[in-house]
Each structure stands twice: as structure tokens, then as C-alpha cells.
């Protein structure tokens, strides 16, 4: 018997990753090159793993309380955001979520009215776009400027032109997923000026903010003039701390936002995984010292993929875990190339639903889950599949 489908689900798009992963998992024969999913094969800090094991047998970690998250993690997360932004935040400014994306949805539900527009870059991770729609909002796309063989750049003029009476929030990420596009100081100043001028809230997705290459530095816009009172920072243990399975995120915001953020959080997941929280606090606290070798390894992998795909229309990521190849230059879409590469035992996901200007005509390669040795030979397989 057919059921009534709520309107909010009309434009919810699949992200393709689960289907591609299932194909690779279920196939017989030699292992696939796993470039389809935002996973990482580099384990978390051993001390964080040990703390998780200990937590599984401790009564204090087997609890709903505190609803807003354990005190130590809130303190560590608030201190972490303070250090990056130059703005003071305490534990009262922090609520813990069941992963970063849960925190993003909570922030949207606390700030977006049904019918509001939310400014995002194009392309943007489909999971973020889906959460905007679940919250009753509409994504308003600002296309990155793409130059084959170059970096993805923010189009500041397009950003300014996109602001209209229904725009209430910007949801931004630097480095952006999936492009690795990075906002420099001038970009952030332009973004901040528009937020202040038009009284917009900035929801900042910091899942990858320190995964930066070529000597780039993380820039946190809350420290810019007029931004401390309008910036909601959402962080995650998944990518920077390599703790995907722990499902822990944090939201740090000015006190004016906190009652609504807490109310939504309690009405949504109530509380994240108890046995995961102090382990994440441990890893986050130590990450200022432990992050550099990990980022260096990611940069090696990025460089290996760029070397393999040299001469093809790819965007150079300034950070993050992935890069894009524009397949339309060869008269096909990303899905077609994805299907051809499966025959060569390479699993990569097409970009349909991730953007309007930059969407179905791209294929995404995730380089965080395979060592450099296994990335060798990718270029020959891609060129054969393209007929190049």
C-alpha cells in the first residue's frame, strides 16, 4: 500500500557511496582500489583507542548524562575552537552531537525557518544539502571557479550576487568537501563583510579545517570583526582524528544560540555515544602535536593521485580527502566513467546531486583510504576508461 511521502523528502538525493561500496565489498577476485568513500585506513591515536576500551566497562560512561555531553569533552572542544579563532569559548558554549553531520542538522534546525535559503558552495557534499532540505531550507549555490589543473577558487562576486531576501544562513567548509577548495584571508574577509552587512548566521563545518597542504594555515572566521556573535562552529572526530566509528561531534557557539542548539539536540539524538566521548577528548587534546605526520601522509597521497592524473582536467585540492575529475571533457558523465572503472577494479563515485554547475559531469577520487603504493597505476586505468 503506497504511503504519503512528506514534501521534505522530495529533493533528498542519494550520495552514491553506499552503492559503490557494496559493489566493492561483495565482489570476488582481487581487492578493488577503494576510492569511493570518505574512509581512512590510518588508525586513530592508540591512547584514544585504549580509553574507549576502558570506557566500555565504566559505569560513568554508560549513561545518558550529561545530556549536552561530557564535561571534559566540552571543555576540550571549546578550548580547541578558542585557540583556532582567537575568541573565548567555555564549556557553556559547547554541546556534543552524535557526529559532525548531526551537529550540522541541529544547527540548521536551530537557525533556519521553512522557506529560508542557505548559501553553499557548488559543489557541496550532498549530505549537507540533504540536511538543509530536511530543515526546511533551500540550498542557494555559489559555484566555485574551476580551472583544470588548478585550484578551486571562491567566486566572491557570485557570492555577493547570491544574497537575497530569503538568505538567512551561510553553510561553509574550508577546505570544502569534495573539491578541497580553500578560503584564504581575503575570501574570509569578504564572507564576513557580507554576513555582517546582511545579518547572516555562519554555520562553519570544520570537519577538515586543519587537513591542509602546501603549508597552508587554518583560518577560523569567528575572530574577524562582527563574526564572533554570528558564527556556529561544528566539529567532528571523524576526519581530523580518524575516529569515524565513534560518531562524536561538537558544536561551539555564542551564548545567544545555545538554548536553541541544546533544545534541538535534546529533541534529536539526546546524547552521543557515552563510551566514545572521553576518547575523543583525548585525541582532540593531543591533535595539536599528532596531526602533522597524518597530514603529511595525506599530502603524499594527494600528490600521488595528481601525478597519476597529470594532464587530465582535475582540480588540485588545497586540503581534505578527495579531488574531482571533469569527465564531460571526454563526452561522458561521471557515472559512465565510474562504471567503466569498476571493470578495472577501481571504485570511485560520481557526483550527481552534489552541485548544479559542478555535479554529474565529475567523478570523485578519495585518496585517504589507500596507501601510495596502491595508488600507482591509477592514471593508466583512468585514461583507458576515458579513451584518452
Amino acid at each position: 500500500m503506497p504511503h504519503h511521502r512528506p514534501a521534505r523528502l522530495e529533493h533528498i538525493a542519494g550520495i552514491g557511496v553506499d552503492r559503490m561500496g557494496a559493489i566493492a565489498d561483495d565482489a570476488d577476485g582481487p581487492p578493488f582500489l577503494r576510492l569511493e568513500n570518505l574512509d581512512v585506513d590510518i588508525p586513530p591515536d592508540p591512547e584514544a583507542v585504549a580509553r574507549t576500551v576502558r570506557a566500555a566497562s565504566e559505569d560513568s560512561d554508560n549513561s545518558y548524562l550529561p545530556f549536552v555531553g561530557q564535561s571534559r569533552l566540552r571543555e576540550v572542544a571549546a578550548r580547541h575552537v578558542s585557540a583556532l579563532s582567537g575568541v573565548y569559548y567555555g564549556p557553556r558554549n559547547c554541546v556534543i552531537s552524535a557526529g559532525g553531520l548531526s551537529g550540522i542538522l541541529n544547527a540548521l534546525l536551530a537557525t533556519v525557518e521553512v522557506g529560508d535559503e542557505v548559501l553553499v558552495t557548488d559543489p557541496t557534499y550532498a549530505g549537507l544539502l540533504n540536511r538543509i532540505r530536511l530543515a526546511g531550507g533551500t540550498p542557494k549555490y555559489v559555484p566555485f571557479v574551476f580551472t583544470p589543473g588548478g585550484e578551486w577558487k571562491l567566486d566572491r562576486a557570485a557570492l555577493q550576487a547570491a544574497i537575497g531576501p530569503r538568505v538567512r544562513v551561510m553553510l561553509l567548509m574550508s577546505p570544502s568537501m569534495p573539491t578541497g577548495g580553500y578560503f584564504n584571508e581575503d575570501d574570509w574577509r569578504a564572507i564576513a563583510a557580507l554576513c555582517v552587512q546582511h545579518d547572516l548566521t555562519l554555520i562553519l563545518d570544520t570537519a577538515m579545517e586543519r587537513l591542509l597542504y602546501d603549508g597552508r594555515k587554518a583560518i577560523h572566521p569567528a575572530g574577524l570583526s562582527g563574526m564572533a556573535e554570528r558564527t556556529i562552529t561544528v566539529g567532528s572526530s571523524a576526519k581530523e582524528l580518524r575516529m569515524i566509528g565513534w560518531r562524536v561531534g561538537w558544536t561551539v557557539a555564542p551564548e545567544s544560540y545555545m538554548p536553541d542548539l541544546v533544545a534541538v539536540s535534546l529533541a534529536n539524538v539526546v546524547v552521543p555515544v557515552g563510551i566514545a566521548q572521553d576518547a575523543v577528548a583525548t585525541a582532540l587534546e593531543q591533535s595539536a602535536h599528532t596531526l602533522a605526520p597524518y597530514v603529511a601522509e595525506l599530502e603524499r597521497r594527494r600528490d600521488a593521485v595528481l601525478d597519476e592524473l597529470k594532464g587530465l582536467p582535475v582540480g588540485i585540492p588545497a586540503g581534505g580527502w578527495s579531488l574531482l575529475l571533469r569527465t564531460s571533457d571526454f563526452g561522458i558523465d561521471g557515472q559512465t566513467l565510474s562504471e567503466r572503472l569498476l571493470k578495472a577494479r577501481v571504485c570511485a563515485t560520481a557526483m550527481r546531486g552534489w552541485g548544479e554547475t559542478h555535479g554529474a559531469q565529475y567523478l570523485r577520487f578519495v585518496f585517504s583510504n589507500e596507501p601510495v603504493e596502491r595508488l600507482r597505476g591509477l592514471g593508466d586505468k583512468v585514461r583507458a576508461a576515458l579513451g584518452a
Side-chain angles (χ1 to χ4, degrees), residues 265-330:
S265 179
L266 296 184
N268 188 357
V269 182
V270 183
V271 69
V273 181
I275 62 173
Q277 291 184 56
D278 201 54
V280 169
T282 296
L284 181 59
E285 199 166 43
Q286 295 182 352
S287 64
H289 312 292
T290 60
L291 198 69
Y294 164 47
V295 173
E297 172 59 21
L298 290 176
E299 187 168 347
R300 285 181 64 234
R301 296 178 181 194
R302 178 205 65 165
D303 292 347
V305 175
L306 288 174
D307 185 56
E308 289 290 322
L309 303 181
K310 194 171 184 178
L312 296 176
V314 298
I316 299 176
W321 280 7
S322 60
L323 58 79
L324 303 186
L325 166 68
R326 189 169 65 190
T327 60
S328 54
D329 292 36
F330 300 87

Side-chain angles (χ1 to χ4, degrees), residues 81 85 87 89 93-95 97 100 102-112 168-173 188 195 200-207 209 220-223 226-236 249-262 264:
V81 177
S85 66
V87 177
Y89 299 101
N93 300 102
C94 182
V95 59
S97 59
S102 179
I104 293 288
L105 179 59
N106 289 346
L108 289 164
L109 289 167
T111 57
V112 172
R168 291 287 179 268
V169 171
M170 292 191 191
L171 172 53
L172 298 176
M173 184 180 189
W188 278 123
C195 285
L200 306 180
T201 296
L202 172 65
I203 300 175
L204 183 65
D205 182 346
T206 64
E209 69 177 335
H220 195 296
M227 292 304 291
E229 61 264 36
R230 65 182 70 250
T231 301
I232 299 173
T233 301
V234 182
S236 167
W250 51 90
T251 302
V252 175
E255 286 196 19
S256 60
Y257 287 102
M258 292 310 299
D260 290 342
L261 289 168
V262 169
V264 171

Side-chain angles (χ1 to χ4, degrees), residues 144-158:
F144 272 117
V145 177
F146 173 67
T147 305
E151 296 168 13
W152 296 81
K153 296 292 187 182
L154 177 67
D155 186 335
R156 294 181 207 152

